[in-house]
Amino acid sequence: MNRMPRHELPVVPTANLVDIAILLIIFYMACSHFVTQQGAPLNLPKAGELAKLNEPLILVTIDSQGAITFQGRPVASAMDVESGVTELLRDKTTEEMRQVMFKCDATASRKIFEPVINAIVQGGGIVVAVGENAVE
């Protein structure tokens, strides 16, 4: 009796699939940009002349409703900003390391943002205000 030989299915190697997946993830991370803005979108004030600066370690924002965020987390008052700045700048000695990025919506009133600026200074920070180039 003559039997037909069994045809086995070809074996697909799967050992390298993990390596390929990791390489694809690394490629995607290298080619994409990460979201750096934290908090609500802001309508930044216009300025005639702006300088490009490095990204400071500390970020304080005030949105159009007057809500204050420190490092992306909402805080209740300027006193919370001062204590947070003091804590984060405890061991920082150079001016560049003590910079605090301050983003404020253009519609926020002076009585809201002025205490926050004073709190940053009282905490030992150097205020770096953020704006947009004025369109001429």
Side-chain angles (χ1 to χ4, degrees), residues 40-42 62-68 105-109 112:
L42 300 175
I62 300 176
D63 65 11
S64 58
Q65 285 79 37
I68 305 168
D105 194 275
T107 60
S109 71
I112 293 174

Side-chain angles (χ1 to χ4, degrees), residues 51-70:
K52 184 85 172 155
L53 48 106
N54 297 333
E55 190 75 23
L57 300 174
I58 302 173
L59 173 65
V60 179
T61 61
I62 300 176
D63 65 11
S64 58
Q65 285 79 37
I68 305 168
T69 60
F70 179 76

Side-chain angles (χ1 to χ4, degrees), residues 108-136:
S109 71
R110 182 177 180 175
K111 71 178 189 178
I112 293 174
F113 70 78
E114 201 168 69
V116 175
I117 292 173
N118 290 334
I120 293 170
V121 173
Q122 293 298 319
I126 298 171
V127 178
V128 179
V130 177
E132 292 180 346
N133 278 327
V135 179
E136 295 180 11

Side-chain angles (χ1 to χ4, degrees), residues 27-111:
F27 176 78
Y28 174 75
M29 288 174 53
C31 292
S32 66
H33 69 280
F34 296 101
V35 176
T36 57
Q37 181 179 353
Q38 301 171 345
L42 300 175
N43 178 20
L44 296 174
K46 308 292 184 218
E49 187 177 319
L50 295 176
K52 184 85 172 155
L53 48 106
N54 297 333
E55 190 75 23
L57 300 174
I58 302 173
L59 173 65
V60 179
T61 61
I62 300 176
D63 65 11
S64 58
Q65 285 79 37
I68 305 168
T69 60
F70 179 76
Q71 295 294 84
R73 293 186 202 95
V75 294
S77 68
M79 290 176 29
D80 297 331
V81 172
E82 182 180 343
S83 62
V85 169
T86 303
E87 180 65 30
L88 289 176
L89 297 180
R90 184 175 310 236
D91 299 327
K92 309 297 189 245
T93 56
T94 66
E95 284 189 15
E96 187 173 291
M97 294 173 70
R98 292 179 36 234
Q99 290 181 347
V100 177
M101 183 180 289
F102 177 69
K103 292 183 178 182
C104 182
D105 194 275
T107 60
S109 71
R110 182 177 180 175
K111 71 178 189 178

